[in-house]
Amino acid sequence: MNPTIKDIAQRANVSYATVSRALNNKPFVKEATRRRVLSLAKELNYTPNALARGLVKKETRTLGLIIPDITNPFYPEVAQGIQEGAGDSGFSVFLCNTNWDHDQELHYLNLLEEKRVDGIILAPIENQVDVVEPHIRNRIPVVYLDKAPRKTRNSYVMIDNVRGGFLATRHLIEQGYDTIGFIGAAEDSLTIDDRLKGYRMAMEQNRLKVHDDFVRFGNYRQVTGYTIIQSMIGSGRYPRAVFAENDLIALGVMQGAREAGLKVPEDIAVIGFDDIPFASFPEVQLSTIRQPKHQMGRTAVEIILQQIKAGNGGPTAASVKRVLLEPELVVRRSSRSR
Amino acid sequence: MNPTIKDIAQRANVSYATVSRALNNKPFVKEATRRRVLSLAKELNYTPNALARGLVKKETRTLGLIIPDITNPFYPEVAQGIQEGAGDSGFSVFLCNTNWDHDQELHYLNLLEEKRVDGIILAPIENQVDVVEPHIRNRIPVVYLDKAPRKTRNSYVMIDNVRGGFLATRHLIEQGYDTIGFIGAAEDSLTIDDRLKGYRMAMEQNRLKVHDDFVRFGNYRQVTGYTIIQSMIGSGRYPRAVFAENDLIALGVMQGAREAGLKVPEDIAVIGFDDIPFASFPEVQLSTIRQPKHQMGRTAVEIILQQIKAGNGGPTAASVKRVLLEPELVVRRSSRSR
DNA sequence: GTGAAAGCGCTAACAG
DNA sequence: CTGTTAGCGCTTTCAC
């Protein structure tokens, strides 16, 4: 059995309240007593019980992080930023992976609540309509990451997706491409809506026509880009350039195009979104819109910690923070016309 | 404040023990009472307190997972397997990322102990000498993943690294290469020791000389392969083929070689280890030794759950399981001589 | 400085 | 079937 403060107290001939004080560096403990307790604790191999402590203090110094897909290279970098930021403030992080499954998302939301985490950082699966918020019972502060329900009352950090979509498309236009396609994940996605909006804005500004055939949707994985571009090419009509909603899809597009005998960027240009590590690999050289992933994570932590400190669980006018990070255009070979 | 079973009990006019029974689907509760309790619970938005429950039951149905680097594409896939396996048995997973920092590793080990997780799956940083085991106080079952201290008393799951190193090297030899280099991470690594052993075995069996200059070490990241190969090339003497200890390093080698004007595989062949998703990307086509990452994760969970069920915390002859998974040679363009 | 005692929210005997 | 009671290990008043 694990030793408890009572075991220490007994051996130290003090009450266990004193042991608690000594262990927690509280004032009003004689230095000698403190030392005795500390050495005894070490000797007995004492490890405090976070459950018991959490129960009485009503805080666990733990954050929950829910992400949809840990194998998408975008998230690990964000998660790293979060863990670092949390660690700096003595918080640890419960990482939950939903695998794009909405039930899983709900399940984890619930679980984190049961575990009484002090705050939740949620990178939600798509949801225009907010199915999540009713489940967050306003007891635990939540900050959305990467995307957020359209009119949420909670805090969020994400990239300016309209701007990102605009930058990507304008860049392709400036390179001289005039038929530009868009390939995204789920059609009802907030993120994609915005990126698409940016795309349309840029097209419109330059009086370019958006061909509905060239605006297509699938899921978040590489295979989406691969199949869609191949079907376009197979049909004989395909755009001269493609703006893919994320780098994984963009890589799929490159792969599909190349297998169909097209050259990138000579026959078809491609730009992605995220700037995952492999986009910069010399034989990939994928142009993209960079997201400050690490910073996104750290910002999310800052916000949530602030909200935790403010107490009062649910979002209040004072504590809610909405942060839009700036996207950055990164031009590589996949979209350079010369 | 969160409602508790007492709040429910009061409203339902039963004792709170009855509420507990009803909520936990224990027998001997009148169906009507149970229904009343359940509906009240929903109405009050009751969420059980896992801390309180854990405190009395002395189990948290939570696993801890410690990995060195979440941004290395190898780990997310393993982690996914673990989460799935755990989820199937109603366990959740605390994912901790040490960032190759030994102090972090110790810190998390401690933290997980404080949180009273039921078991720990540990993909340790390198350590010949076992600095970790003294910290695992034999109260919580541990299973090592990916690598394990040489003569640990605990369970582990990993790949047969000697075999993997052998397969990789033999393949290069069969392709006709005779000067073959090895680039690995930390020199005192168990994993690398074994892969290197396999490499030496294959070389020896074929009466090939191992040039010490061609056996070099760095860290686990891409940059290692990049710098080492460039320095070799710069010095004028470099091997005709390289066996890199992991895919990331191998990618660095490809990159470095290409930037130095060499063609892969025509001028220099490369094979990696792991089979991360990007190894199969058409413009990468990296040959490699595949690790069954998902299965590795699931196996680790199976073992740990078994050990948890067996109780008795520390490793016992009966519960300890050592599993060596089979590596698989995957030949792609980067190592094909014709 | 230190001890005694209450209580965090829940489970698990033990009675009835 | 249900209530009573005793903790789980810890923090936190309130006395002394």
Side-chain angles (χ1 to χ4, degrees):
Chain A
M1 214 41 255
N2 274 322
T4 72
I5 47 172
K6 292 193 182 171
D7 297 317
I8 299 180
Q10 206 181 334
R11 283 180 178 66
N13 270 313
V14 292
S15 77
Y16 62 89
T18 302
V19 174
S20 170
R21 281 189 278 257
L23 254 23
N24 290 293
N25 274 310
K26 289 270 165 66
F28 307 124
V29 180
K30 213 199 305 177
E31 198 42 40
T33 323
R34 162 164 296 140
R35 258 204 287 281
R36 197 145 40 93
V37 166
L38 254 38
S39 92
L40 234 22
K42 174 160 278 175
E43 188 186 320
L44 293 183
N45 239 321
Y46 170 77
T47 313
N49 185 323
L51 300 174
R53 172 180 291 159
L55 189 54
V56 17
K57 297 195 64 166
K58 294 177 175 320
E59 68 166 47
T60 50
R61 295 190 81 70
T62 303
L63 262 28
L65 168 61
I66 304 182
I67 58 174
D69 186 1
I70 185 124
T71 64
N72 179 331
F74 172 75
Y75 294 105
E77 291 197 39
V78 178
Q80 205 179 261
I82 290 176
Q83 279 220 353
E84 276 182 31
D88 288 352
S89 301
F91 278 70
S92 38
V93 179
F94 231 124
L95 176 52
C96 310
N97 187 149
T98 63
N99 229 356
W100 298 113
D101 177 349
H102 190 72
D103 289 340
Q104 281 284 316
E105 186 168 288
L106 260 30
H107 165 75
Y108 280 124
L109 234 23
N110 217 49
L111 191 76
L112 292 174
E113 214 181 326
E114 293 189 3
K115 292 203 183 288
R116 299 297 192 258
V117 297
D118 296 332
I120 297 178
I121 299 177
L122 172 58
I125 316 197
E126 294 314 329
N127 42 309
Q128 291 274 24
V129 192
D130 197 339
V131 239
V132 166
E133 305 225 338
H135 276 260
I136 304 172
R137 316 237 171 81
N138 275 3
R139 301 193 207 117
I140 302 183
V142 172
V143 40
Y144 284 105
L145 180 99
D146 185 37
K147 40 199 160 232
R150 199 61 85 184
K151 27 189 190 170
T152 176
R153 296 168 51 239
N154 287 297
S155 302
Y156 59 72
V157 207
M158 52 179 158
I159 199 109
D160 184 337
N161 284 302
V162 180
R163 175 91 185 137
F166 181 81
L167 287 177
T169 314
R170 189 180 64 184
H171 161 69
L172 292 175
I173 296 171
E174 282 171 358
Q175 292 292 304
Y177 301 108
D178 51 0
T179 59
I180 300 177
F182 177 93
I183 300 184
E187 193 161 354
D188 59 343
S189 146
L190 294 166
T191 314
I192 297 182
D193 272 7
D194 282 354
R195 293 182 191 173
L196 198 50
K197 189 189 276 176
Y199 160 84
R200 286 188 199 281
M201 270 173 54
M203 294 296 271
E204 213 161 289
Q205 264 186 27
N206 291 273
R207 301 177 197 296
L208 254 31
K209 188 170 173 328
V210 172
H211 298 261
D212 283 348
D213 294 359
F214 295 163
V215 176
R216 303 274 282 275
F217 303 93
N219 66 25
Y220 279 94
R221 306 212 170 92
Q222 205 168 330
V223 63
T224 292
Y226 182 85
T227 18
I228 291 182
I229 197 66
Q230 289 225 331
S231 98
M232 283 184 181
I233 296 172
S235 80
R237 276 175 41 78
Y238 60 88
R240 281 284 290 120
V242 170
F243 167 31
E245 194 249 333
N246 71 30
D247 285 350
L248 247 27
I249 295 177
L251 290 173
V253 171
M254 286 175 80
Q255 177 174 354
R258 278 170 173 155
E259 283 187 14
L262 299 186
K263 283 194 169 157
V264 178
E266 291 79 358
D267 299 319
I268 186 166
V270 180
I271 188 168
F273 208 111
D274 287 352
D275 196 24
I276 61 176
F278 280 88
S280 60
F281 191 69
E283 296 310 302
V284 174
Q285 289 288 348
L286 174 66
S287 296
T288 191
I289 301 295
R290 175 177 298 156
Q291 299 209 49
K293 300 176 266 302
H294 206 263
Q295 194 201 327
M296 187 179 283
R298 294 202 76 118
T299 308
V301 171
E302 272 169 38
I303 296 178
I304 198 83
L305 289 184
Q306 215 169 298
Q307 222 149 294
I308 291 170
K309 207 156 53 186
N312 68 26
T316 57
S319 65
V320 171
K321 285 262 182 322
R322 276 95 198 244
V323 179
L324 273 195
L325 265 20
E326 267 305 299
E328 180 194 349
L329 172 66
V330 180
V331 180
R332 301 204 180 90
R333 216 177 68 82
S334 74
S335 71
R336 261 199 287 257
S337 57
R338 51 193 173 267
Chain B
M1 210 46 255
N2 274 321
T4 72
I5 48 173
K6 291 193 182 171
D7 298 318
I8 299 179
Q10 205 181 334
R11 283 182 178 65
N13 270 317
V14 290
S15 75
Y16 63 90
T18 301
V19 175
S20 170
R21 280 189 278 256
L23 254 23
N24 290 292
N25 273 309
K26 290 269 165 68
F28 309 125
V29 181
K30 212 201 301 175
E31 199 41 40
T33 323
R34 161 164 295 136
R35 259 203 287 280
R36 195 146 38 94
V37 167
L38 256 37
S39 90
L40 234 22
K42 173 161 278 174
E43 188 185 320
L44 295 182
N45 240 322
Y46 170 77
T47 314
N49 185 325
L51 299 174
R53 173 180 289 159
L55 189 56
V56 17
K57 297 196 64 168
K58 293 176 176 318
E59 67 166 49
T60 51
R61 295 190 82 71
T62 304
L63 262 27
L65 168 61
I66 303 182
I67 59 174
D69 187 2
I70 186 126
T71 63
N72 179 330
F74 172 75
Y75 294 105
E77 290 197 40
V78 178
Q80 203 177 261
I82 290 176
Q83 279 221 351
E84 275 182 33
D88 288 352
S89 301
F91 278 69
S92 37
V93 180
F94 232 126
L95 176 51
C96 310
N97 187 150
T98 63
N99 229 357
W100 299 112
D101 177 349
H102 191 71
D103 289 340
Q104 280 284 316
E105 186 168 288
L106 261 28
H107 165 75
Y108 279 125
L109 234 22
N110 217 50
L111 190 77
L112 292 174
E113 215 182 324
E114 292 190 3
K115 291 202 182 289
R116 299 298 191 259
V117 297
D118 296 333
I120 297 178
I121 299 177
L122 171 58
I125 318 197
E126 294 314 328
N127 44 308
Q128 290 274 23
V129 192
D130 198 338
V131 239
V132 167
E133 306 224 337
H135 277 261
I136 305 171
R137 317 240 168 78
N138 274 1
R139 301 192 206 116
I140 302 183
V142 171
V143 41
Y144 284 105
L145 180 101
D146 186 37
K147 43 197 160 236
R150 197 61 85 184
K151 26 190 191 173
T152 176
R153 296 166 55 238
N154 286 297
S155 301
Y156 59 73
V157 206
M158 52 180 159
I159 199 109
D160 185 336
N161 284 300
V162 180
R163 176 91 186 138
F166 180 82
L167 287 176
T169 314
R170 189 180 66 185
H171 160 70
L172 292 175
I173 296 171
E174 283 171 359
Q175 293 291 305
Y177 302 108
D178 50 2
T179 59
I180 301 176
F182 177 93
I183 301 183
E187 192 162 354
D188 59 344
S189 146
L190 295 165
T191 315
I192 297 181
D193 272 8
D194 282 354
R195 292 183 192 171
L196 197 51
K197 189 190 275 178
Y199 160 84
R200 287 187 198 280
M201 271 173 52
M203 294 295 272
E204 214 163 288
Q205 263 186 28
N206 291 275
R207 304 178 196 293
L208 253 31
K209 191 172 170 331
V210 172
H211 298 260
D212 284 348
D213 295 359
F214 294 165
V215 176
R216 304 274 282 276
F217 304 93
N219 67 24
Y220 278 94
R221 305 212 170 94
Q222 207 166 326
V223 62
T224 292
Y226 182 85
T227 21
I228 291 182
I229 197 66
Q230 289 225 331
S231 98
M232 283 184 182
I233 296 172
S235 79
R237 275 174 43 77
Y238 59 88
R240 280 285 290 120
V242 170
F243 166 32
E245 196 248 333
N246 72 30
D247 284 351
L248 248 27
I249 295 177
L251 291 173
V253 171
M254 287 175 79
Q255 178 174 353
R258 279 171 173 155
E259 284 186 14
L262 298 186
K263 284 197 168 152
V264 177
E266 292 78 0
D267 300 319
I268 186 166
V270 180
I271 188 167
F273 208 111
D274 287 352
D275 197 24
I276 62 176
F278 281 89
S280 60
F281 191 70
E283 295 311 301
V284 174
Q285 289 288 347
L286 174 66
S287 297
T288 190
I289 301 295
R290 175 177 298 157
Q291 298 209 50
K293 301 175 265 304
H294 205 263
Q295 194 201 327
M296 188 179 283
R298 294 202 76 118
T299 308
V301 171
E302 272 170 37
I303 296 178
I304 199 84
L305 289 183
Q306 215 169 299
Q307 224 149 293
I308 291 169
K309 207 156 53 186
N312 66 25
T316 57
S319 64
V320 173
K321 285 261 183 320
R322 276 96 198 241
V323 180
L324 275 194
L325 265 20
E326 267 306 298
E328 181 194 348
L329 172 67
V330 180
V331 179
R332 301 203 179 93
R333 218 178 67 82
S334 75
S335 70
R336 259 198 288 258
S337 56
R338 48 189 177 271

